[in-house]
Coordinates of all heavy atoms in Angstrom, one line a residue:
V1 N 105.0 -36.1 -20.0 CA 104.7 -34.7 -20.0 C 103.5 -34.4 -20.9 O 102.6 -33.7 -20.5 CB 105.9 -33.8 -20.5 CG1 105.5 -32.4 -20.7 CG2 107.0 -33.9 -19.5
G2 N 103.5 -35.0 -22.1 CA 102.4 -34.7 -23.1 C 101.1 -35.2 -22.6 O 100.0 -34.7 -22.9
K3 N 101.1 -36.3 -21.8 CA 99.9 -36.9 -21.3 C 99.3 -36.1 -20.0 O 98.1 -36.1 -19.8 CB 100.1 -38.3 -20.9 CG 100.3 -39.2 -22.1 CD 100.5 -40.6 -21.6 CE 100.8 -41.5 -22.9 NZ 101.1 -42.9 -22.5
T4 N 100.2 -35.4 -19.3 CA 99.8 -34.7 -18.1 C 99.4 -33.3 -18.3 O 98.7 -32.7 -17.5 CB 100.9 -34.8 -17.0 OG1 102.1 -34.2 -17.5 CG2 101.1 -36.2 -16.6
L5 N 99.9 -32.7 -19.4 CA 99.6 -31.3 -19.7 C 98.1 -31.0 -19.7 O 97.6 -30.0 -19.0 CB 100.2 -30.8 -21.0 CG 99.9 -29.3 -21.3 CD1 100.5 -28.4 -20.2 CD2 100.5 -29.0 -22.7
P6 N 97.2 -31.8 -20.3 CA 95.8 -31.5 -20.3 C 95.2 -31.5 -18.8 O 94.4 -30.7 -18.5 CB 95.1 -32.6 -21.1 CG 96.2 -33.0 -22.1 CD 97.5 -32.9 -21.3
L7 N 95.7 -32.4 -18.0 CA 95.3 -32.5 -16.6 C 95.7 -31.2 -15.8 O 94.9 -30.7 -15.0 CB 95.8 -33.7 -15.9 CG 95.4 -35.1 -16.5 CD1 96.2 -36.2 -15.8 CD2 93.9 -35.2 -16.3
V8 N 96.9 -30.8 -16.1 CA 97.4 -29.6 -15.4 C 96.6 -28.4 -15.8 O 96.2 -27.6 -15.0 CB 98.9 -29.3 -15.8 CG1 99.4 -28.0 -15.3 CG2 99.8 -30.5 -15.2
V9 N 96.3 -28.3 -17.1 CA 95.5 -27.2 -17.6 C 94.1 -27.2 -17.0 O 93.6 -26.1 -16.5 CB 95.4 -27.2 -19.1 CG1 94.3 -26.2 -19.6 CG2 96.7 -26.9 -19.8
Q10 N 93.4 -28.3 -16.9 CA 92.1 -28.4 -16.3 C 92.1 -28.1 -14.8 O 91.1 -27.6 -14.3 CB 91.5 -29.8 -16.6 CG 91.0 -30.0 -18.0 CD 90.0 -29.0 -18.4 OE1 89.1 -28.6 -17.7 NE2 90.1 -28.5 -19.6
K11 N 93.1 -28.4 -14.1 CA 93.2 -28.1 -12.7 C 93.7 -26.7 -12.3 O 93.5 -26.3 -11.2 CB 94.1 -29.2 -12.0 CG 93.5 -30.5 -12.0 CD 94.4 -31.5 -11.3 CE 93.7 -32.9 -11.3 NZ 94.6 -33.9 -10.6
A12 N 94.2 -26.0 -13.3 CA 94.8 -24.7 -13.1 C 93.7 -23.7 -12.8 O 92.7 -23.6 -13.5 CB 95.6 -24.3 -14.3
E13 N 93.9 -22.9 -11.8 CA 93.0 -21.8 -11.5 C 93.2 -20.6 -12.4 O 92.4 -19.7 -12.5 CB 93.2 -21.3 -10.0 CG 92.8 -22.4 -9.0 CD 91.4 -22.7 -9.1 OE1 90.6 -21.8 -9.3 OE2 91.0 -23.9 -8.9
S14 N 94.4 -20.5 -13.0 CA 94.7 -19.4 -13.9 C 95.3 -19.9 -15.2 O 95.7 -21.1 -15.3 CB 95.7 -18.4 -13.2 OG 96.9 -19.1 -12.8
P15 N 95.2 -19.1 -16.3 CA 95.8 -19.5 -17.6 C 97.2 -20.0 -17.4 O 98.0 -19.5 -16.6 CB 95.6 -18.3 -18.4 CG 94.6 -17.5 -17.8 CD 94.7 -17.7 -16.3
L16 N 97.6 -20.8 -18.4 CA 99.0 -21.4 -18.4 C 99.7 -21.0 -19.7 O 99.2 -21.4 -20.7 CB 98.9 -22.9 -18.2 CG 100.2 -23.7 -18.2 CD1 101.0 -23.3 -17.0 CD2 99.8 -25.2 -18.1
L17 N 100.8 -20.4 -19.6 CA 101.6 -20.0 -20.7 C 102.8 -21.0 -20.8 O 103.6 -21.1 -19.9 CB 102.1 -18.6 -20.6 CG 102.7 -17.9 -21.8 CD1 101.6 -17.7 -22.8 CD2 103.3 -16.5 -21.5
V18 N 102.9 -21.7 -21.9 CA 103.9 -22.8 -22.0 C 104.8 -22.5 -23.2 O 104.4 -22.3 -24.3 CB 103.2 -24.2 -22.2 CG1 104.3 -25.3 -22.3 CG2 102.3 -24.5 -21.0
L19 N 106.1 -22.6 -22.9 CA 107.1 -22.5 -23.9 C 107.5 -23.9 -24.4 O 107.9 -24.7 -23.5 CB 108.4 -21.8 -23.4 CG 109.6 -21.9 -24.2 CD1 109.5 -21.2 -25.6 CD2 110.8 -21.3 -23.5
F20 N 107.4 -24.2 -25.6 CA 107.9 -25.4 -26.2 C 109.2 -25.1 -26.9 O 109.2 -24.2 -27.8 CB 106.9 -26.0 -27.3 CG 105.6 -26.6 -26.6 CD1 104.6 -25.7 -26.2 CD2 105.5 -27.9 -26.4 CE1 103.5 -26.3 -25.7 CE2 104.4 -28.5 -25.8 CZ 103.4 -27.6 -25.5
F21 N 110.2 -25.8 -26.6 CA 111.6 -25.5 -27.1 C 112.2 -26.8 -27.6 O 111.8 -27.9 -27.3 CB 112.4 -24.8 -26.1 CG 113.0 -25.7 -25.0 CD1 114.2 -26.2 -25.1 CD2 112.2 -26.1 -23.9 CE1 114.7 -27.1 -24.1 CE2 112.7 -26.9 -23.0 CZ 113.9 -27.4 -23.1
S22 N 113.3 -26.6 -28.3 CA 114.2 -27.8 -28.7 C 115.6 -27.5 -28.2 O 116.1 -26.4 -28.4 CB 114.2 -28.0 -30.2 OG 115.1 -28.9 -30.6
A23 N 116.2 -28.5 -27.6 CA 117.5 -28.3 -27.0 C 118.5 -28.1 -28.1 O 119.6 -27.5 -27.9 CB 117.9 -29.6 -26.2
N24 N 118.2 -28.5 -29.3 CA 119.2 -28.3 -30.5 C 119.0 -27.0 -31.2 O 119.6 -26.8 -32.3 CB 119.1 -29.5 -31.4 CG 119.4 -30.8 -30.7 OD1 120.1 -30.9 -29.8 ND2 118.8 -31.9 -31.2
C25 N 118.0 -26.2 -30.8 CA 117.6 -25.0 -31.5 C 118.3 -23.7 -31.0 O 118.1 -23.4 -29.8 CB 116.1 -24.9 -31.5 SG 115.5 -23.4 -32.3
Q26 N 119.0 -23.0 -31.8 CA 119.7 -21.8 -31.4 C 118.6 -20.7 -31.0 O 118.8 -20.0 -30.1 CB 120.5 -21.2 -32.6 CG 121.0 -19.8 -32.4 CD 121.7 -19.3 -33.6 OE1 121.9 -19.9 -34.6 NE2 121.9 -18.0 -33.6
Y27 N 117.5 -20.7 -31.7 CA 116.5 -19.7 -31.4 C 115.8 -20.0 -30.1 O 115.5 -19.0 -29.3 CB 115.4 -19.6 -32.5 CG 116.0 -19.3 -33.9 CD1 116.0 -20.3 -34.9 CD2 116.6 -18.1 -34.1 CE1 116.6 -20.0 -36.1 CE2 117.2 -17.8 -35.4 CZ 117.2 -18.7 -36.4 OH 117.7 -18.4 -37.6
S28 N 115.7 -21.2 -29.8 CA 115.2 -21.6 -28.4 C 116.1 -21.2 -27.3 O 115.7 -20.6 -26.3 CB 115.0 -23.1 -28.3 OG 113.9 -23.6 -29.2
A29 N 117.4 -21.4 -27.6 CA 118.4 -21.0 -26.6 C 118.4 -19.5 -26.4 O 118.6 -19.0 -25.3 CB 119.8 -21.5 -27.0
E30 N 118.2 -18.7 -27.4 CA 118.2 -17.3 -27.4 C 116.9 -16.7 -26.7 O 116.9 -15.7 -26.0 CB 118.3 -16.6 -28.8 CG 119.7 -16.9 -29.4 CD 119.8 -16.5 -30.8 OE1 118.8 -16.0 -31.4 OE2 120.9 -16.6 -31.4
F31 N 115.8 -17.4 -26.9 CA 114.5 -17.0 -26.4 C 114.3 -17.4 -24.9 O 113.5 -16.7 -24.2 CB 113.4 -17.5 -27.3 CG 112.0 -17.0 -26.8 CD1 111.6 -15.7 -27.0 CD2 111.1 -17.9 -26.2 CE1 110.4 -15.3 -26.6 CE2 109.9 -17.4 -25.8 CZ 109.5 -16.1 -26.0
A32 N 114.9 -18.4 -24.5 CA 114.6 -19.0 -23.1 C 114.9 -17.9 -22.0 O 114.0 -17.8 -21.1 CB 115.5 -20.2 -22.9
P33 N 115.9 -17.1 -22.1 CA 116.1 -16.1 -21.0 C 115.0 -15.1 -21.0 O 114.6 -14.6 -20.0 CB 117.5 -15.5 -21.3 CG 118.2 -16.5 -22.2 CD 117.1 -17.2 -22.9
V34 N 114.5 -14.7 -22.2 CA 113.4 -13.7 -22.3 C 112.2 -14.3 -21.7 O 111.5 -13.6 -20.9 CB 113.2 -13.4 -23.8 CG1 112.0 -12.4 -23.9 CG2 114.4 -12.7 -24.4
F35 N 111.9 -15.5 -22.0 CA 110.7 -16.2 -21.4 C 110.8 -16.3 -19.9 O 109.9 -16.0 -19.2 CB 110.5 -17.6 -22.0 CG 109.2 -18.3 -21.6 CD1 108.0 -18.0 -22.2 CD2 109.3 -19.2 -20.6 CE1 106.8 -18.6 -21.7 CE2 108.1 -19.8 -20.1 CZ 106.9 -19.5 -20.7
D36 N 112.0 -16.7 -19.4 CA 112.2 -16.8 -18.0 C 112.0 -15.4 -17.3 O 111.4 -15.4 -16.2 CB 113.6 -17.3 -17.7 CG 113.8 -18.7 -18.1 OD1 112.8 -19.4 -18.3 OD2 115.0 -19.2 -18.2
E37 N 112.5 -14.4 -17.9 CA 112.4 -13.0 -17.3 C 110.9 -12.6 -17.2 O 110.5 -12.1 -16.2 CB 113.2 -12.0 -18.1 CG 113.2 -10.6 -17.5 CD 114.0 -9.7 -18.3 OE1 115.0 -10.1 -18.9 OE2 113.7 -8.5 -18.3
V38 N 110.2 -12.8 -18.3 CA 108.8 -12.5 -18.3 C 108.0 -13.4 -17.2 O 107.2 -12.9 -16.5 CB 108.2 -12.7 -19.7 CG1 106.7 -12.6 -19.7 CG2 108.8 -11.7 -20.7
A39 N 108.3 -14.6 -17.2 CA 107.7 -15.5 -16.2 C 107.9 -15.1 -14.8 O 107.0 -15.0 -14.0 CB 108.2 -17.0 -16.4
L40 N 109.2 -14.8 -14.5 CA 109.5 -14.3 -13.1 C 108.7 -13.0 -12.8 O 108.3 -12.8 -11.6 CB 111.0 -14.1 -13.0 CG 111.8 -15.4 -12.9 CD1 113.3 -15.1 -12.9 CD2 111.5 -16.2 -11.6
S41 N 108.7 -12.1 -13.7 CA 108.0 -10.9 -13.5 C 106.5 -11.0 -13.3 O 105.9 -10.4 -12.5 CB 108.4 -9.9 -14.5 OG 107.4 -9.2 -15.1
L42 N 105.9 -11.8 -14.2 CA 104.4 -11.9 -14.2 C 103.8 -12.9 -13.2 O 102.7 -12.9 -12.8 CB 103.9 -12.2 -15.6 CG 104.1 -11.1 -16.6 CD1 103.6 -11.6 -18.0 CD2 103.4 -9.8 -16.2
A43 N 104.7 -13.9 -12.8 CA 104.2 -15.0 -11.9 C 103.8 -14.4 -10.6 O 103.0 -15.0 -9.9 CB 105.2 -16.1 -11.8
K44 N 104.4 -13.4 -10.2 CA 104.2 -12.8 -8.8 C 102.7 -12.4 -8.7 O 102.2 -12.4 -7.6 CB 105.1 -11.6 -8.6 CG 106.5 -11.9 -8.6 CD 107.4 -10.7 -8.5 CE 108.8 -11.0 -8.7 NZ 109.7 -9.8 -8.8
S45 N 102.0 -12.0 -9.8 CA 100.6 -11.6 -9.7 C 99.7 -12.8 -9.4 O 98.6 -12.6 -8.9 CB 100.2 -10.9 -11.0 OG 100.1 -11.8 -12.0
G46 N 100.1 -14.0 -9.8 CA 99.3 -15.2 -9.6 C 98.2 -15.3 -10.7 O 97.4 -16.2 -10.6
Q47 N 98.1 -14.4 -11.6 CA 97.1 -14.4 -12.6 C 97.5 -15.3 -13.8 O 96.6 -15.5 -14.7 CB 96.8 -13.0 -13.1 CG 96.2 -12.1 -12.0 CD 95.9 -10.7 -12.5 OE1 96.1 -10.4 -13.6 NE2 95.3 -9.9 -11.6
L48 N 98.7 -15.7 -13.9 CA 99.2 -16.5 -15.0 C 100.2 -17.4 -14.5 O 101.1 -17.1 -13.7 CB 99.8 -15.5 -16.0 CG 100.1 -16.0 -17.4 CD1 98.9 -16.5 -18.1 CD2 100.8 -14.9 -18.3
R49 N 100.2 -18.7 -15.0 CA 101.2 -19.7 -14.6 C 102.0 -20.0 -15.8 O 101.6 -19.7 -17.0 CB 100.5 -21.0 -14.1 CG 99.7 -20.7 -12.9 CD 99.1 -22.0 -12.4 NE 100.1 -23.0 -12.1 CZ 99.9 -24.3 -12.0 NH1 98.7 -24.8 -12.1 NH2 100.9 -25.1 -11.7
F50 N 103.2 -20.5 -15.6 CA 104.2 -20.7 -16.7 C 104.7 -22.1 -16.7 O 104.9 -22.7 -15.6 CB 105.3 -19.7 -16.6 CG 104.9 -18.3 -16.7 CD1 104.4 -17.5 -15.7 CD2 104.9 -17.7 -18.0 CE1 104.0 -16.2 -15.8 CE2 104.5 -16.4 -18.2 CZ 104.0 -15.6 -17.1
G51 N 105.1 -22.6 -17.9 CA 105.7 -23.9 -18.0 C 106.6 -24.0 -19.2 O 106.5 -23.1 -20.1
V52 N 107.5 -25.0 -19.2 CA 108.4 -25.2 -20.3 C 108.4 -26.6 -20.6 O 108.5 -27.5 -19.7 CB 109.8 -24.7 -19.9 CG1 110.8 -25.0 -21.0 CG2 109.8 -23.2 -19.5
I53 N 108.3 -27.0 -21.9 CA 108.3 -28.4 -22.3 C 109.4 -28.5 -23.4 O 109.4 -27.7 -24.4 CB 106.9 -28.8 -22.8 CG1 106.0 -28.8 -21.7 CG2 107.0 -30.2 -23.5 CD1 104.5 -29.1 -22.1
E54 N 110.2 -29.5 -23.3 CA 111.1 -29.9 -24.4 C 110.3 -30.5 -25.5 O 110.0 -31.7 -25.4 CB 112.2 -30.8 -23.9 CG 113.6 -30.6 -24.4 CD 113.8 -31.0 -25.9 OE1 112.9 -31.0 -26.7 OE2 114.9 -31.3 -26.3
G55 N 110.0 -29.7 -26.5 CA 109.1 -30.2 -27.5 C 109.7 -31.2 -28.5 O 109.0 -32.0 -29.1
G56 N 111.0 -31.3 -28.5 CA 111.7 -32.3 -29.4 C 111.6 -33.7 -28.8 O 111.7 -34.7 -29.5
R57 N 111.3 -33.8 -27.5 CA 111.2 -35.1 -26.8 C 109.8 -35.4 -26.3 O 109.6 -36.6 -26.0 CB 112.2 -35.1 -25.7 CG 113.6 -35.0 -26.1 CD 114.5 -35.2 -24.9 NE 115.9 -35.1 -25.3 CZ 116.9 -35.2 -24.5 NH1 116.7 -35.4 -23.2 NH2 118.1 -35.1 -25.0
N58 N 109.0 -34.4 -26.2 CA 107.6 -34.6 -25.7 C 106.6 -34.1 -26.6 O 106.7 -33.0 -27.1 CB 107.5 -33.9 -24.3 CG 108.5 -34.4 -23.3 OD1 108.4 -35.4 -22.8 ND2 109.5 -33.6 -23.1
Q59 N 105.6 -34.9 -26.9 CA 104.5 -34.5 -27.7 C 103.2 -34.4 -26.9 O 103.0 -35.2 -26.0 CB 104.3 -35.5 -28.9 CG 105.5 -35.5 -29.8 CD 105.3 -36.5 -31.0 OE1 104.3 -37.3 -31.0 NE2 106.1 -36.4 -32.0
V60 N 102.4 -33.5 -27.2 CA 101.1 -33.3 -26.6 C 100.0 -33.7 -27.6 O 100.0 -33.1 -28.7 CB 100.9 -31.9 -26.1 CG1 99.5 -31.7 -25.5 CG2 102.0 -31.5 -25.1
H61 N 99.2 -34.7 -27.2 CA 98.2 -35.2 -28.1 C 97.3 -34.0 -28.6 O 96.8 -33.3 -27.7 CB 97.4 -36.3 -27.4 CG 96.3 -36.8 -28.3 ND1 96.5 -37.6 -29.4 CD2 94.9 -36.7 -28.3 CE1 95.4 -38.0 -30.0 NE2 94.4 -37.4 -29.3
G62 N 97.1 -33.9 -29.9 CA 96.2 -32.9 -30.4 C 96.8 -31.5 -30.6 O 96.1 -30.6 -31.0
L63 N 98.1 -31.4 -30.3 CA 98.8 -30.1 -30.5 C 99.9 -30.2 -31.5 O 100.8 -31.1 -31.4 CB 99.4 -29.7 -29.1 CG 100.0 -28.3 -29.0 CD1 98.9 -27.3 -29.2 CD2 100.6 -28.1 -27.7
E64 N 99.7 -29.5 -32.5 CA 100.7 -29.5 -33.6 C 101.8 -28.4 -33.4 O 101.5 -27.2 -33.5 CB 100.0 -29.3 -35.0 CG 99.1 -30.4 -35.4 CD 99.8 -31.7 -35.7 OE1 100.9 -31.6 -36.2 OE2 99.2 -32.7 -35.4
V65 N 103.0 -28.8 -33.1 CA 104.1 -27.9 -32.9 C 105.0 -28.1 -34.2 O 105.6 -29.1 -34.4 CB 104.9 -28.2 -31.6 CG1 106.1 -27.2 -31.5 CG2 104.0 -28.0 -30.4
E66 N 105.1 -27.0 -35.0 CA 105.8 -27.2 -36.2 C 107.2 -26.5 -36.2 O 107.9 -26.7 -37.1 CB 104.9 -26.5 -37.3 CG 103.6 -27.3 -37.6 CD 102.8 -26.7 -38.7 OE1 103.3 -25.8 -39.4 OE2 101.7 -27.1 -38.8
G67 N 107.5 -25.8 -35.2 CA 108.8 -25.2 -35.1 C 109.1 -24.7 -33.7 O 108.1 -24.6 -32.9
F68 N 110.3 -24.4 -33.4 CA 110.7 -24.0 -32.1 C 111.5 -22.7 -32.1 O 112.2 -22.5 -33.1 CB 111.6 -25.1 -31.4 CG 110.9 -26.4 -31.3 CD1 111.2 -27.5 -32.1 CD2 109.9 -26.6 -30.4 CE1 110.6 -28.7 -32.0 CE2 109.2 -27.8 -30.3 CZ 109.6 -28.8 -31.1
P69 N 111.4 -21.9 -31.1 CA 110.5 -22.0 -30.0 C 109.1 -21.5 -30.3 O 108.9 -20.7 -31.3 CB 111.1 -21.0 -29.0 CG 111.8 -20.0 -29.8 CD 112.3 -20.7 -31.0
V70 N 108.1 -22.0 -29.6 CA 106.8 -21.5 -29.7 C 106.1 -21.5 -28.3 O 106.4 -22.3 -27.5 CB 106.0 -22.4 -30.7 CG1 105.8 -23.8 -30.1 CG2 104.6 -21.9 -31.0
V71 N 105.2 -20.5 -28.2 CA 104.6 -20.3 -26.9 C 103.1 -20.5 -27.1 O 102.5 -19.9 -28.0 CB 104.8 -18.9 -26.3 CG1 104.1 -18.7 -25.0 CG2 106.3 -18.7 -26.0
F72 N 102.4 -21.3 -26.2 CA 101.0 -21.5 -26.3 C 100.4 -21.0 -25.0 O 100.9 -21.2 -23.9 CB 100.6 -23.0 -26.5 CG 100.9 -23.5 -27.8 CD1 102.0 -24.2 -28.2 CD2 99.9 -23.4 -28.8 CE1 102.3 -24.7 -29.4 CE2 100.1 -23.9 -30.1 CZ 101.3 -24.5 -30.4
L73 N 99.2 -20.5 -25.1 CA 98.4 -20.1 -23.9 C 97.3 -21.1 -23.8 O 96.5 -21.2 -24.7 CB 97.9 -18.6 -24.1 CG 97.0 -18.2 -22.9 CD1 97.7 -18.0 -21.6 CD2 96.3 -16.8 -23.3
F74 N 97.2 -21.7 -22.6 CA 96.1 -22.7 -22.4 C 95.2 -22.1 -21.3 O 95.7 -21.6 -20.3 CB 96.7 -24.0 -21.9 CG 97.6 -24.7 -22.9 CD1 99.0 -24.6 -22.9 CD2 97.0 -25.5 -23.9 CE1 99.8 -25.2 -23.8 CE2 97.8 -26.1 -24.8 CZ 99.2 -26.0 -24.8
R75 N 93.9 -22.3 -21.5 CA 92.9 -21.9 -20.5 C 92.0 -23.1 -20.2 O 91.7 -23.9 -21.0 CB 92.1 -20.8 -21.0 CG 92.8 -19.5 -21.2 CD 91.9 -18.4 -21.7 NE 92.7 -17.3 -22.0 CZ 92.2 -16.1 -22.2 NH1 90.9 -15.9 -22.3 NH2 93.0 -15.1 -22.5
R76 N 91.7 -23.2 -18.9 CA 90.8 -24.3 -18.5 C 89.4 -24.1 -19.2 O 88.9 -23.0 -19.2 CB 90.6 -24.2 -17.0 CG 89.7 -25.3 -16.4 CD 89.7 -25.3 -15.0 NE 89.1 -24.0 -14.5 CZ 89.0 -23.7 -13.2 NH1 89.4 -24.5 -12.3 NH2 88.5 -22.5 -12.9
T77 N 88.9 -25.2 -19.7 CA 87.5 -25.1 -20.3 C 86.5 -25.3 -19.2 O 86.7 -26.2 -18.3 CB 87.4 -26.1 -21.4 OG1 87.7 -27.4 -20.9 CG2 88.3 -25.8 -22.6
P78 N 85.4 -24.6 -19.2 CA 84.4 -24.8 -18.2 C 83.8 -26.2 -18.3 O 83.6 -26.7 -19.4 CB 83.3 -23.7 -18.6 CG 84.0 -22.8 -19.5 CD 85.1 -23.5 -20.2
T79 N 83.5 -26.7 -17.1 CA 82.9 -28.1 -17.1 C 81.4 -28.0 -16.8 O 80.9 -27.1 -16.4 CB 83.5 -28.9 -16.0 OG1 83.5 -28.2 -14.7 CG2 85.0 -29.2 -16.3

């Protein structure tokens, strides 16, 4: 997952909002339904894509995740 995220971001036509969570985290469990509801409601517009990564098991090179849950917004960089 951590190796493919940069590729997904670069190929995405729209910004990508990603939730990093930990399966052992109470706050992650409480926040997940909120994120899902927002994702379902906003994904219909096609202006924003959504993703979820188990941050306790997957690391993204160059991204420092210090606590869970955390949400990052990724945008494709112009080439």
Side-chain angles (χ1 to χ4, degrees):
V1 172
K3 293 179 182 178
T4 59
L5 181 62
L7 298 172
V8 171
V9 170
Q10 284 302 319
K11 292 181 179 183
E13 294 295 323
S14 54
L16 179 63
L17 196 66
V18 179
L19 167 64
F20 288 82
F21 75 98
S22 173
N24 300 332
C25 174
Q26 171 189 348
Y27 302 113
S28 292
E30 292 172 0
F31 183 71
V34 175
F35 185 82
D36 290 344
E37 184 177 329
V38 170
L40 287 173
S41 133
L42 295 178
K44 296 173 188 173
S45 73
Q47 295 180 357
L48 192 61
R49 296 181 61 198
F50 295 86
V52 178
I53 295 178
E54 215 290 28
R57 294 184 180 181
N58 299 287
Q59 294 182 348
V60 177
H61 180 71
L63 187 65
E64 295 291 327
V65 177
E66 296 181 8
F68 301 107
V70 64
V71 177
F72 285 96
L73 177 65
F74 297 97
R75 295 182 184 189
R76 180 175 63 180
T77 54
T79 54

